[in-house]
Amino acid sequence: MSLIAAKIAITPTLMWAVSAAARRWGSLVGGILSGLPLTSAPISIYLAVEQGERFAAEAAIGSVEGLGAVTLCYLAYALYAPRMGAVASIGLALAAFVLGGAVLHGLVRPGLWLATAIDLPAMALVVALCRRRAASGVSARRPPRWDMPARLAAATTLVLLVSTLAPLLGPGLSGVLAPIPIISWPLIVFARVQDGVGASLDVVRGSAQGAFGVLAFYIVVHATLGAMEPVLAYTLSIAVSAACVLPWLLAHRNPRAA
């Protein structure tokens, strides 16, 4: 399989699996899975293959900074969703992402460890805020026919764009764009429209829990790429990421009886 074929095949498959899990086991489990590095890990791998291991290792720093912007976006939604309508709260959350990315990467540029110190308490705060209004249910509504194709197309487009434009963007900006929650946000929006604020906050809460695994993935990638074989480095990174998220997933997996 060529690299371009892998990009087109793997990303929509992962997106479909997360969406199917959300419908089967509820918004919280879908959020946890969507918070995993399902698009950012493939992007990092493609960057390493196409641009070199050093490029991908440096991009991991930008991704940790970008993860701070993602967490700020979740935090804004958790604060305003219970008080505002869907369009206003989602708009504010996306504005918070843009502002956070501009500050963390464009102005402050805290680097790997300071960005990590910012990300961790912010993610924990999002989880705590969303826990108050948990819904944790499985939607009984049938989503529109265009729902799944739209999600698959959005996730695949992000992977193709970032990996294709990487030589122009450089490692820092490529890294910042990698953790954009292209899988989480469709889940959040449709949960809000179809099942209400509580269900959308479940997705946000799960995504914030999954973000602990994303953060671990980037830290290990930065530490191991160049120090060991790329296959081993990414295997270890994904394993550590999964280990961080598995306890959340096991604690909240609660399938309904058929």
Side-chain angles (χ1 to χ4, degrees), residues 117-198:
I118 295 170
D119 291 349
L120 285 173
M123 291 186 292
L125 179 58
V126 172
V127 173
L129 288 173
C130 292
R131 192 187 299 273
R132 298 177 184 176
R133 294 181 62 90
S136 301
V138 180
S139 175
R141 301 185 185 183
R142 186 180 183 84
R145 292 182 179 179
W146 51 265
D147 172 28
M148 186 65 76
R151 299 182 190 194
L152 303 186
T156 305
T157 299
L158 174 69
V159 171
L160 290 173
L161 279 176
V162 174
S163 58
T164 301
L165 296 177
L168 298 175
L169 298 174
L173 189 54
S174 297
V176 169
L177 294 177
I180 288 177
I182 201 69
I183 293 181
S184 298
W185 270 107
L187 295 178
I188 294 167
V189 172
F190 283 106
R192 175 66 183 263
V193 172
Q194 295 170 3
D195 300 303
V197 173

Side-chain angles (χ1 to χ4, degrees), residues 37-78:
L38 298 181
T39 55
S40 48
I43 287 174
S44 181
I45 293 170
Y46 300 145
L47 291 179
V49 172
E50 296 176 338
Q51 307 301 324
E53 296 173 34
R54 182 175 180 180
F55 188 103
E58 291 301 311
I61 299 175
S63 294
V64 174
E65 294 170 350
L67 188 60
V70 171
T71 305
L72 183 61
C73 138
Y74 291 150
L75 181 59
Y77 186 80

Side-chain angles (χ1 to χ4, degrees), residues 7-119:
K7 294 177 185 179
I8 294 173
I10 293 173
T11 302
T13 300
L14 294 172
M15 180 73 229
W16 176 86
V18 171
S19 298
R23 293 175 184 175
R24 177 67 179 88
W25 291 306
S27 300
L28 184 57
V29 171
I32 294 173
L33 292 174
S34 71
L36 288 168
L38 298 181
T39 55
S40 48
I43 287 174
S44 181
I45 293 170
Y46 300 145
L47 291 179
V49 172
E50 296 176 338
Q51 307 301 324
E53 296 173 34
R54 182 175 180 180
F55 188 103
E58 291 301 311
I61 299 175
S63 294
V64 174
E65 294 170 350
L67 188 60
V70 171
T71 305
L72 183 61
C73 138
Y74 291 150
L75 181 59
Y77 186 80
L79 289 170
Y80 290 106
R83 304 175 179 86
M84 304 178 71
V87 174
S89 57
I90 290 169
L92 280 172
L94 294 178
F97 171 77
V98 174
L99 178 62
V103 171
L104 288 174
H105 182 71
L107 297 177
V108 179
R109 307 209 62 174
L112 181 67
W113 298 114
L114 181 55
T116 298
I118 295 170
D119 291 349

